[in-house]
Amino acid sequence: MSQLFTLRHRTQRVRVGNILIGGDAPIVVQSMTNTDTADADGTVRQVFELAQAGSELVRITVNTSEAAQQVPRIRQRLDDMGCNVPLIGDFHYNGHRLLTEFPECAQALAKYRINPGNVGKNRKGEDQFAIMIAVAKQYDKPVRIGVNWGSLDQDLVVRLMDENAKLAQPKEVAEVTREALIVSALDSAKRAEVLGLAHDRIVLSCKVSDVQDLIAVYQNMASRCDYPLHLGLTEAGMGSKGIVASTAALAVLLQQGIGDTIRVSLTPPPGGARTEEVVVAQEILQTMGLRSFAPMVTACPGCGRTTSTVFQELAQSIQHYLRAQMPQWRKQYIGVEEMTVAVMGCIVNGPGESKLANIGISLPGTGENPAAPVYVDGEKTVTLRGENISVEFQQIVDEYVARKYAKRG
């Protein structure tokens, strides 16, 4: 596996605000707001929530003059709140105009995302792309050249299809389309460099909505460039479908050492939390052993021995509690994100799993003695009984964190 992971280490390092991506830097989690950026209050609130959840880069839509005018205000208000998460401006169609007409917006953003398929056609598109690159050079901003399946340059697709048709053994249409995505990204990056943008100021992405296509595209692109790559299954969907599809695609690529930043593009339910996509991205990286973000809870699925819902309720409450505490714990303690907690439902695997975790509790199953032994670093320390098991276990976790992990400065 170490040989596979060397591929990511060969990518160029790019600094985005206070975050370093590429090379041997940790894989970075990013997200995107779904607020109208012209609504500064709503956007500030959501960016802050995403950052608190652990998003290390946050992308915002910049699509109108009103939105561009609010970007510097949003940046200042976040700074005043002590939230220094870098903001990425997402530009389509009119980015050249917004970046030049609103220089304060161009300065406030940490990175620009440009979609070659939505910059413009022919010479007009080339000129508008050049304007955006010139602004990036002027303010020393990195650029993500983000190609998307749904907005791919159709002239490029037609040209490659025509060239393919002349081959003695033409390739499948899907393969040609994937090649069009890669060519669009690489050619745009080369043009940006010709226009004077430094090689170490460019990040690439080629997003599609099919798992196998995404894997094939990024495997190919990773073999043809050393730009940092942003991974994400676009339009992943809602709920379990979106989570499973994103995990299936990203896990394969990450295991091969491909990817420097990731986003899980979930469609939240009406009124649902936007932060879910951040949690899923973190858990993909953490369960693969690539990074640690928050203590992980091991819990059994339950069976005929666990007819009580006590262990399920405790597992849920302690997982929520650990997540809620992390913003503060991260400031106070070193390494607390690597803590493991086990909440088990009966005697079969309960004691064993509890001993393997930093802190574990084995709750009584059906017909078992109504007692819950607690294990700390492999040793049984106390047995909990009664109605306050959840509160008492939470207190044990708090005491363990304060005792085990070194305080910062």
Side-chain angles (χ1 to χ4, degrees):
M1 190 164 87
S2 60
Q3 183 179 0
L4 294 174
F5 274 99
T6 59
L7 179 60
R8 190 176 71 86
H9 294 168
R10 291 202 301 269
T11 62
Q12 186 67 238
R13 290 163 65 114
V14 175
R15 183 167 292 281
V16 182
N18 61 341
I19 299 294
L20 190 65
I21 63 175
D24 58 357
I27 298 167
V28 172
V29 171
Q30 67 173 275
S31 59
M32 184 176 184
T33 59
N34 60 358
T35 58
D36 181 352
T37 308
D39 173 12
D41 290 341
T43 302
V44 167
R45 185 163 51 250
Q46 191 172 91
V47 170
F48 184 78
E49 290 171 353
L50 290 167
Q52 285 291 98
S55 185
E56 294 158 303
L57 299 172
V58 177
R59 184 157 47 113
I60 61 176
T61 298
V62 187
N63 59 334
T64 63
S65 298
E66 292 77 13
Q69 287 176 325
Q70 292 302 322
V71 169
R73 296 183 176 89
I74 292 167
R75 176 71 274 166
Q76 185 59 57
R77 288 180 57 185
L78 289 167
D79 290 341
D80 292 343
M81 297 166 68
C83 179
N84 62 355
V85 64
L87 296 178
I88 302 165
D90 193 59
F91 294 98
H92 298 271
Y93 310 111
N94 59 355
H96 61 290
R97 180 176 63 80
L98 296 176
L99 284 170
T100 52
E101 290 183 7
F102 300 94
E104 295 86 357
C105 169
Q107 288 179 300
L109 294 167
K111 184 172 74 170
Y112 312 149
R113 185 276 177 119
I114 303 175
N115 183 344
N118 290 340
V119 170
K121 295 287 187 181
N122 304 318
R123 183 54 186 268
K124 180 180 179 181
E126 293 178 5
D127 291 343
Q128 292 175 174
F129 181 82
I131 291 171
M132 298 180 77
I133 297 302
V135 175
K137 285 172 51 188
Q138 180 181 354
Y139 297 111
D140 190 26
K141 304 294 183 179
V143 169
R144 171 157 72 93
I145 294 172
V147 182
N148 196 291
W149 190 272
S151 53
L152 185 58
D153 181 351
Q154 291 305 302
D155 290 340
L156 173 61
V157 175
V158 170
R159 176 170 66 81
L160 293 182
M161 289 292 184
D162 288 345
E163 292 174 0
N164 181 63
K166 297 175 184 177
L167 297 176
Q169 294 183 320
K171 301 174 183 177
E172 295 289 335
V173 171
E175 187 176 354
V176 178
T177 306
R178 290 196 295 264
E179 177 65 12
L181 284 162
I182 298 167
V183 169
S184 177
L186 294 178
D187 284 358
S188 297
K190 290 177 184 175
R191 182 148 190 273
E193 290 196 51
V194 169
L195 292 167
L197 190 64
H199 187 77
D200 65 356
R201 304 305 275 162
I202 298 172
V203 179
L204 298 186
S205 68
C206 285
K207 291 191 174 183
V208 301
S209 55
D210 178 84
V211 170
Q212 295 299 338
D213 282 326
L214 190 82
I215 293 169
V217 165
Y218 274 90
Q219 287 173 334
N220 192 330
M221 189 160 62
S223 70
R224 292 162 66 172
C225 73
D226 69 346
Y227 299 110
L229 301 178
H230 170 65
L231 304 186
L233 190 74
T234 192
E235 292 98 31
M238 297 184 71
S240 60
K241 185 271 178 183
I243 293 172
V244 171
S246 293
T247 304
L250 270 57
V252 171
L253 293 167
L254 292 168
Q255 184 71 8
Q256 296 176 357
I258 299 171
D260 301 284
T261 75
I262 66 169
R263 183 195 173 201
V264 176
S265 300
L266 296 181
T267 304
R274 188 67 166 181
T275 53
E276 183 183 11
E277 67 176 52
V278 178
V279 174
V280 173
Q282 289 180 328
E283 291 181 347
I284 290 172
L285 294 177
Q286 188 152 348
T287 54
M288 292 186 69
L290 297 174
R291 288 192 66 185
S292 295
F293 296 94
M296 298 290 281
V297 175
T298 299
C300 68
C303 65
R305 296 183 181 88
T306 56
T307 53
S308 169
T309 61
V310 174
F311 87 95
Q312 297 165 307
E313 293 162 359
L314 179 57
Q316 183 180 54
S317 67
I318 199 65
Q319 180 73 79
H320 290 166
Y321 179 74
L322 294 172
R323 279 263 168 202
Q325 292 298 106
M326 271 311 295
Q328 186 59 38
W329 279 352
R330 194 178 293 116
K331 296 176 183 177
Q332 287 183 287
Y333 301 105
I334 299 170
V336 67
E337 65 276 3
E338 297 177 1
M339 180 174 67
T340 56
V341 178
V343 179
M344 305 302 292
C346 77
I347 199 171
V348 174
N349 291 320
E353 288 284 358
S354 297
K355 290 177 182 178
L356 290 173
N358 292 121
I359 307 174
I361 185 169
S362 180
L363 292 161
T366 305
E368 291 178 14
N369 183 32
V374 175
Y375 297 82
V376 176
D377 289 334
E379 300 293 330
K380 181 180 174 181
T381 59
V382 68
T383 298
L384 303 181
R385 294 180 174 85
E387 301 296 322
N388 295 317
I389 287 178
S390 179
V391 174
E392 292 173 8
F393 185 65
Q394 184 174 298
Q395 183 177 351
I396 291 171
V397 171
D398 286 337
E399 292 171 352
Y400 180 85
V401 169
R403 181 178 71 254
K404 178 79 172 182
Y405 297 100
K407 288 193 174 183
R408 297 185 184 276

